[in-house]
Amino acid sequence: QYCSAKFMADRTMARMAAEKPQTALNAIMEAKGTIDAKDINEARAGGDEFAAEAWDQTARYLAIGCVSLARIFDPDRIVLTGGMAKAGADLVDPVRKHFADLDWAMTEIKTQLAIATLGSDAGAIGAAGVAWRRFGS
């Protein structure tokens, strides 16, 4: 929940309403009546500090989840998918940074973070693959 595109947008709009910051997101909010993760990332890429904070906070939340999964299950790889994964390196690079900063174990973490190459369709394609293997052609 804390690292979804919708939660980030909702949290950012709530902060905008409470803090009234000078941000490029104000114009988007006026034009569309809302903002989304793509708007936040584009504003961040354009140098908007408020948007960069929102993006970074979400990346940190995602990294906390990934560190927890890595320490509990010790997977070789955690693959990120969904709407925010479309941001590619804009998402995975700050998540990797926070992942490294937040790692708390005495041994080096071996888990890699990656973006799903199938994008938002990864879950559906994986489920179809399982069915194909189970029931054949």
Side-chain angles (χ1 to χ4, degrees):
Q1 172 183 344
Y2 293 101
C3 50
S4 71
K6 180 178 177 0
F7 186 78
M8 177 176 51
D10 290 348
R11 185 180 63 240
T12 302
M13 287 187 290
R15 276 190 63 207
M16 289 171 65
E19 299 173 19
K20 309 284 191 249
Q22 294 296 323
T23 174
L25 297 171
N26 290 331
I28 297 167
M29 187 73 171
E30 286 180 30
K32 294 185 352 181
T34 190
I35 58 170
D36 58 27
K38 184 177 179 185
D39 297 327
I40 296 167
N41 188 34
E42 288 174 354
R44 178 207 58 80
D48 187 295
E49 290 183 29
F50 183 83
E53 287 176 22
W55 189 264
D56 191 63
Q57 183 179 38
T58 301
R60 186 173 187 281
Y61 287 154
L62 185 52
I64 289 169
C66 290
V67 166
S68 297
L69 289 171
R71 289 301 170 195
I72 293 168
F73 298 109
D74 192 27
D76 293 331
R77 179 173 292 140
I78 296 173
V79 180
L80 307 176
T81 188
M84 286 191 59
K86 292 176 185 173
D90 287 349
L91 176 65
V92 79
D93 289 348
V95 172
R96 283 181 180 145
K97 179 198 170 296
H98 287 295
F99 186 81
D101 292 345
L102 293 166
D103 184 30
W104 47 264
M106 294 172 56
T107 59
E108 181 184 352
I109 200 163
K110 303 290 185 193
T111 304
Q112 297 177 358
L113 302 178
I115 298 289
T117 57
L118 299 175
S120 297
D121 296 329
I125 292 170
V130 170
W132 185 275
R133 285 186 127 172
R134 173 76 171 109
F135 300 109
S137 57

